[in-house]
Structure formats: structure tokens, C-alpha cells
Amino acid sequence: MQPPEAGVVLVRHGELGVKSEQVRRKMEGRLAENLRAMLDSRGLSADIERRRNRLFVHTDDADAAADAAADTFGVVSASPAVTVEPTLDAIETALAAAAESHHDGGSFAVDATRAGPSDAHPFASTDIESEGGAAVWAAIESLGHEPEVDLDDPEFRLFVECRREAAYVFLEKRAGPGGLPLGTQRPVVALISGGIDSPVAAWKLMARGCPVVPVYVDLGDYGGPDHRARARATVETLAGYAPGEAMALHVVDAGAVVADLETGMGDLRMLALRRYMLATAEAVAESEGAVGVVTGEAIGQKSSQTSANLAVTDPATSLPVHRPLVATDKSEITQLARHIGTFEDATVDTGCNRVAPELPETNADIETVRAAEPDDLFERARACAAERSVVPIER
Ligand code: ATP
Ligand code: MG
């Protein structure tokens, strides 16, 4: 929702403000670059103005530009706004116009802030709220509605941000993903199965600034082209959040390894497979300059992810394994997947077979798994990783 003639988007970021001056400047610069790339990727022409703790996006499509900002990591919120003179008269006029075009019943409130020295304006923020509120009241009456003020929980909220040089009137703070600008951290490898969890986990690391190197482990007879296509589709959606980054899907052929584990390892095969995947991820990380691995595991979600079994899989790599969903319920992960846009692709039926045995081990110990797994498991992981195919991701 935007006021008439909105020509600017106020873009707020959160955690950057608490960094040292030098780090903050660098991160703000990166945020502006990433936002530029996001706007370009959506064909939006706009000028980005950097100010302390804020970006101002000047554009003739404020609604679409606010959406682009709300999909950019590091952005806390974005407001399509109309710019007016920093006078009470001009603010009242803009508030009344916004109410006339958007109020459709229900209570309202005017929420004003004033930035700058105390003598920057001959009025206080409370004056904006009371005078502006009166203008909105009159506008609502002129629509034939019954005006009602509710300062705590209004159905219709109008915001004013008054600065020395201009005032901005807006109707919403569209939530962004928060976090840090993508590219402000070293990359990590993302183990992507194409299921619901792993793309969400990768997205969460991206939201902390880490570019991801997606790795899909092709399970041969237990995977198949539809399974791989599903993984790729989720990565394409993730790439939409990283328009400034080249992204490719690294596909590791594990068909032969899976077949061997299936015949040779009984109830422990899932654990050996997980260990193999982490070793593969580590090999890819080495060649791609990545410094960690992210997976979609959550404690107890599957037999291979019990707290005991995670203790068995973790030592397969010396890299840190990031599990941002470790304590998240499936329903919440699903909700996030819908929000991110990976849910639809992740839930297409691929008709693939189950690698997991009927009664998998849920309380394994590392010595038993080590003794049972093939001696050359990690060697094979490195060899498969070296022969991986790299599929560029179009967007
Ligand atoms: P997801 O967890 O992505 O929804 P899933 O639930 O089918 O898929 P799990 O069996 O829970 O997968 O696997 C746990 C984690 O291991 C996944 O979140 C993912 O990070 C990784 N993983 C599983 N299968 C693959 C695969 N074929 N290729 C790459 N990574 C995989
Ligand atoms: Mg899972």
C-alpha cells in the first residue's frame, strides 16, 4: 500500500548500525550494490541514494522497488513513500490524500518521527501526529466513514518521517529478510536435496551474508532426473535472491557408492551416506574457497538426524556444519519455504525410491559406523567430487 505519487522507497537495515564505522560503511556499500543488482534483475530503473543508516531508492515504480528491497538480504523493512516539503501544511495535505485513497473503514493512527536537531523544524513530532491526525479525520469524514482513532492497534496506520530537507509520508513498513548483505561473509557449501528443508537452510545462511555453493548428490537409482530437476528448481529460486552472484549447481554422481552402501551396510547405510555427503561437500568447499557446510537437518526429524546420529555424521568433516534449522519444527520450516518460494518445487512428486532401510539405526556410535563403512568411503567422496558436473543456473 502506497500513498498517491509515491516516488521514493525508504529502505531500513538493522544490524549494520551496531558495527564499527568502517565495517558499517563497507556493509552499507555492499547492501546498496546488492539492491542495485536486485532492481536491475527485475528491470526496474531507480537511483539509490546512500544516507546514514538508510538507503533511499528514487523510482517511478515504488511498489515494485519496495518488493525488490524486501527480498534483499540485510533489509529490515521498506516503505514506498511520497516526498513533501517539511512543513505541517504539506504533511497534512499528503496524509489527507493518502487517507482518501486508501482508507476503507476502521480505526486509524498517525505515527510521526522527526530527525535532526531540535530547531530543525518549528514543530514537534507530536504536533505532526495531532495536526496530521485532524487532517486524516476530516478526510475520512469526507469519504462518508466514521473516523475512529486507535493509537495502540489501528487498522490503518499512516507514517510520517520528517527530516530537515524533506518529509516522507508512507502507509506500511514492508518486512525484509533482515540479516546481513549477501557477500559480506565467506561462502559455504549448501547440501541441497531439493526437499523442503535444505533450500530453507541455505537461504538462512545467505541471509547472514554467506554466498552458497549448492551441491546436489545424485543417488543413482534412488534419485533420478526428476529428483535432480527438483533440486535445480529450488536452487534457481535461491539464485533469485542473489542476483549479483554467479551461481551453479554442483552435481556429484554417487550412484555407485549408494548401491554399495545399500548392499554392504544394513541399518547403518544412511549414516555412512551422510558422512559421504559431508566429505563430498568438504572437497567441493576446498576447490571453491568455501569455509563451511550448511544442511537442512533438524534434530529428530528423521532417523539419520537424531542427536546421537548427528554426533556420528559431524566428524566426517573438519569444516563447521551449519544447521540453521536444527531446532525448528517442520511446520515452521514449511511456512518459510512457502515465503521464500521453494515449497512448490520441493514438493513435486519425483517417485524416487527410499534409500533408508525399514528400521534404521537411531542411536549409532561412531566406532561401530567407522568399522562398518568401506575403508575408501572418503577417498571415493573426494574422487566423486572431483568429477562433479557444474550446471550454471539461469535466472
Ligand atoms: P530436505 O531436508 O532438504 O527437506 P530431506 O528431508 O529429503 O530433504 P533429509 O533426509 O532430511 O533430506 O536430509 C538431511 C539433509 O542432508 C538435507 O537437508 C540436505 O542438506 C542433505 N541432503 C540429503 N539428501 C541430499 C542429496 N541428495 N544431495 C545433497 N544433499 C542432501
Ligand atoms: Mg529433511
Side-chain angles (χ1 to χ4, degrees):
M1 203 167 30
Q2 53 178 340
E5 294 177 55
V8 69
V9 183
L10 276 51
V11 179
R12 306 172 189 85
H13 52 70
E15 282 183 45
L16 276 56
V18 302
K19 306 277 181 205
S20 69
E21 184 67 15
Q22 203 186 0
V23 174
R24 187 179 59 78
R25 275 178 184 282
K26 219 172 133 187
M27 288 210 172
E28 281 180 358
R30 187 59 196 244
L31 181 65
E33 272 172 38
N34 292 353
L35 179 54
R36 168 87 276 153
M38 186 65 86
L39 292 162
D40 289 349
S41 75
R42 298 183 181 188
L44 297 166
S45 68
D47 287 326
I48 299 177
E49 183 194 346
R50 273 175 72 178
R51 296 201 207 162
R52 201 184 154 78
N53 288 334
R54 280 291 161 83
L55 296 175
F56 284 70
V57 181
H58 302 278
T59 171
D60 51 18
D61 192 346
D63 189 45
D67 273 344
D71 281 340
T72 302
F73 299 119
V75 170
V76 169
S77 66
S79 300
V82 58
T83 310
V84 298
E85 291 292 316
T87 64
L88 276 182
D89 269 357
I91 293 169
E92 285 168 31
T93 305
L95 284 170
E100 273 164 26
S101 57
H102 287 288
H103 185 267
D104 60 357
S107 57
F108 78 95
V110 175
D111 204 327
T113 55
R114 215 180 49 82
S118 55
D119 60 355
H121 308 98
F123 50 83
S125 58
T126 46
D127 297 324
I128 303 176
E129 288 173 350
S130 57
E131 306 281 316
V136 172
W137 182 284
I140 291 175
E141 266 183 341
S142 77
L143 293 172
H145 302 157
E146 183 78 23
E148 183 199 342
V149 173
D150 181 347
L151 297 181
D152 296 325
D153 188 22
E155 284 153 88
F156 183 58
R157 204 185 273 278
L158 305 98
F159 299 89
V160 180
E161 190 170 307
C162 192
R163 295 179 166 239
R164 189 196 279 274
E165 68 295 344
Y168 303 91
V169 172
F170 48 95
L171 300 173
E172 63 171 321
K173 293 182 180 174
R174 210 170 288 181
L180 300 172
L182 190 65
T184 56
Q185 298 289 318
R186 290 278 299 278
V188 296
V189 162
L191 276 171
I192 297 284
S193 70
I196 295 174
D197 308 318
S198 46
V200 173
W203 186 90
K204 279 191 156 265
L205 268 277
M206 291 165 80
R208 294 306 303 175
C210 301
V212 295
V213 180
V215 172
Y216 168 73
V217 179
D218 190 326
L219 305 176
D221 290 344
Y222 296 91
D226 291 349
H227 201 255
R228 185 167 55 238
R230 193 180 75 161
R232 183 180 168 157
T234 62
V235 171
E236 279 167 4
T237 301
L238 292 179
Y241 289 92
E245 303 274 335
M247 231 203 239
L249 177 61
H250 297 246
V251 180
V252 174
D253 180 359
V257 172
V258 173
D260 289 352
L261 294 181
E262 209 227 328
T263 49
M265 283 203 61
D267 295 352
L268 294 174
R269 63 178 176 252
M270 287 310 290
L271 294 179
L273 179 57
R274 284 270 170 275
R275 287 163 57 78
Y276 164 88
M277 283 185 189
L278 287 177
T280 304
E282 179 174 304
V284 176
E286 263 166 34
S287 78
E288 299 292 320
V291 293
V293 183
V294 54
T295 77
E297 290 160 310
I299 286 184
Q301 192 201 75
K302 285 194 174 178
S303 58
S304 57
Q305 299 167 27
T306 59
S307 56
N309 284 353
L310 290 179
V312 169
T313 47
D314 236 27
T317 173
S318 57
L319 288 178
V321 181
H322 304 294
R323 298 185 173 96
L325 307 176
V326 73
T328 312
D329 288 357
K330 191 79 181 191
S331 57
E332 197 181 322
I333 301 171
T334 301
Q335 225 178 333
L336 247 177
R338 286 186 195 280
H339 172 77
I340 295 166
T342 49
F343 181 80
E344 298 298 327
D345 295 320
T347 46
V348 294
D349 188 9
T350 58
C352 55
N353 303 316
R354 221 173 107 88
V355 190
E358 276 312 309
L359 275 178
E361 175 62 68
T362 54
N363 191 23
D365 73 85
I366 185 133
E367 294 316 324
T368 313
V369 174
R370 275 196 183 127
E373 72 194 4
D375 290 342
D376 63 351
L377 185 67
F378 291 173
E379 224 170 280
R380 289 177 78 177
R382 281 190 290 276
C384 293
E387 282 166 21
R388 70 190 181 273
S389 51
V390 181
V391 186
I393 295 296
E394 317 289 339
R395 56 198 115 190

